[in-house]
Amino acid sequence: MLASSPAATATQKPGIVMSAAYADGRRVADVDIEEAGEWARRPGHLVWIGLYEPSAELLRQVQAQFGLHPLAIEDAQTAHQRPKLERYGDCLFVVARTAQLVSGRIALGETHLFVGRGFVVTVRHGASASYAHVREKTEACPGLLAHGEDYILYAVLDFIVDNYAPVMETVLAEVEAIEDSVLKRELRPDEIERLYLLRRDLLRLRTAVVPLVEVCRKLEHGDMVAIDEEMQPLFRDVSDHLRSAQDEIDAVREVLAFAFEASLMLGQAQQTNITRRLAAWAAILAVPTAIAGIYGMNFEFMPELKWRYGYFMVLGGIFAACAVLYWRFRKSGWL
């Protein structure tokens, strides 16, 4: 009989977060990678291995223990995969994208899941929350964990989808603050740049969410593998959450588009207003300029040139004409 290893033995190797064996929904041992295959082949036992950015050598060890397909191992090592569900013999390979806020930007990571008879292997890359909470939650419910690989697959996918919510809440709060200010004043260049970055990040998040809906649909209906009938409604619930996240992403992107367009329209309106003011003042100043230009000509015989009150009449005419133009422009809203 294989001896169980202490927790430190299973986690001391770089890249290994946890490696444990379960029986009847209860954790019975922490196992080494070299023993994982033997534990998985025991009747009624399940091995759950969690890896974080593992090395190629560690993935080859896991591949040797569970007979994983080389193409799936290659995908799990390189990352940057589109969410998908593939079947290699009796083993499922699932790719899901994770999301976290890092320095105000939406950072995407990946989780790859190998699900087979008697084992589940999760491989995390990039921005992703630890699955320690998932393990604690599942281990606290032995009855549900007794459903085996299907329940662990659901628990991990549900955790990934639930983590989209705080990201969207933070982004939505920032977008609402920008939306409130956009109608009060013209946005600053840094705020416009922020709108563009948020919209681009949301587009990337949408490309992570939408394909995952199809993955959950296949799991819900058992298109590629037989899923426990009691577990199928759980995958349907994950699909519903994904669709809600997709709708929220689309709504926020529309708000961002409105804020961006509103800012441009306000900027154009302000420029138009300035142009009108300049045109109005130019028209007012054109009157004295024209009159001064006429009487500035050095002709000896000009009407009213030697009239005693000519100077005052010209000034009065200039002021009167300018006053009338000012009143008209003011009334029209140009000044």
Side-chain angles (χ1 to χ4, degrees), residues 13-284:
K13 296 180 180 179
I16 302 178
V17 179
M18 60 86 68
S19 178
Y22 299 83
D24 297 325
R26 300 184 183 278
R27 188 167 180 163
V28 295
D30 294 315
V31 300
D32 287 328
I33 297 297
E34 293 79 5
E35 302 174 343
E38 293 293 335
W39 279 96
R41 286 187 286 272
R42 291 186 180 186
H45 283 68
L46 169 67
V47 173
W48 185 359
I49 297 177
L51 306 178
Y52 180 71
E53 297 185 352
S55 63
E57 180 182 357
L58 179 56
L59 284 176
R60 284 194 295 269
Q61 292 177 358
V62 174
Q63 177 187 10
Q65 290 297 312
F66 302 115
L68 304 179
H69 198 278
L71 291 178
I73 290 295
E74 182 180 351
D75 287 346
Q77 181 178 352
T78 57
H80 302 294
Q81 300 294 319
R82 186 176 183 271
K84 60 182 179 179
L85 171 64
E86 295 178 344
R87 180 173 181 175
Y88 297 96
D90 294 333
C91 178
L92 280 182
F93 177 62
V94 180
V95 178
R97 301 298 299 273
T98 56
Q100 280 188 321
L101 280 176
V102 179
S103 300
R105 297 289 304 277
I106 299 178
L108 297 181
E110 288 186 32
T111 292
H112 302 166
L113 296 100
F114 297 91
V115 183
R117 186 178 300 276
F119 69 90
V120 175
V121 179
T122 61
V123 182
R124 291 191 294 127
H125 290 275
S128 172
S130 172
Y131 295 150
H133 176 72
V134 180
R135 292 194 300 272
E136 294 172 358
K137 183 179 178 180
T138 54
E139 290 175 0
C141 302
L144 294 175
L145 189 54
H147 287 282
E149 306 86 4
D150 295 346
Y151 183 75
I152 295 178
L153 175 59
Y154 154 74
V156 173
L157 290 178
D158 185 61
F159 181 73
I160 291 173
V161 174
D162 286 347
N163 278 339
Y164 293 151
V167 173
M168 288 304 304
E169 289 174 1
T170 303
V171 172
L172 181 59
E174 183 176 358
V175 170
E176 289 178 345
I178 295 176
E179 186 183 19
D180 291 339
S181 63
V182 72
L183 297 177
K184 299 177 182 178
R185 57 174 175 82
E186 184 180 1
L187 295 183
R188 301 189 304 271
D190 62 312
E191 292 175 322
I192 295 177
E193 181 181 2
R194 181 60 178 166
L195 284 177
Y196 172 76
L197 292 176
L198 284 175
R199 200 158 183 233
R200 187 174 66 177
D201 286 349
L202 286 173
L203 178 61
R204 292 172 57 238
L205 182 59
R206 191 180 189 278
T207 60
V209 169
V210 174
L212 200 55
V213 175
E214 181 64 16
V215 171
C216 291
R217 190 198 65 80
K218 291 180 179 180
L219 293 171
E220 173 190 343
H221 297 287
D223 292 349
M224 300 187 67
V225 66
I227 298 293
D228 190 338
E229 292 185 359
E230 296 184 21
M231 295 290 103
Q232 290 180 358
L234 299 181
F235 290 107
R236 186 181 309 121
D237 181 66
V238 176
S239 297
D240 292 340
H241 290 172
L242 282 169
R243 292 188 182 95
S244 298
Q246 179 183 346
D247 292 340
E248 188 173 2
I249 291 172
D250 291 339
V252 174
R253 291 185 71 240
E254 288 183 5
V255 173
L256 284 171
F258 164 76
F260 188 77
E261 293 174 0
S263 176
L264 292 179
M265 292 175 63
L266 288 174
Q268 292 174 355
Q270 185 176 5
Q271 291 177 359
T272 302
N273 188 35
I274 294 174
T275 303
R276 287 179 176 179
R277 289 175 180 271
L278 292 176
W281 282 113
I284 293 173

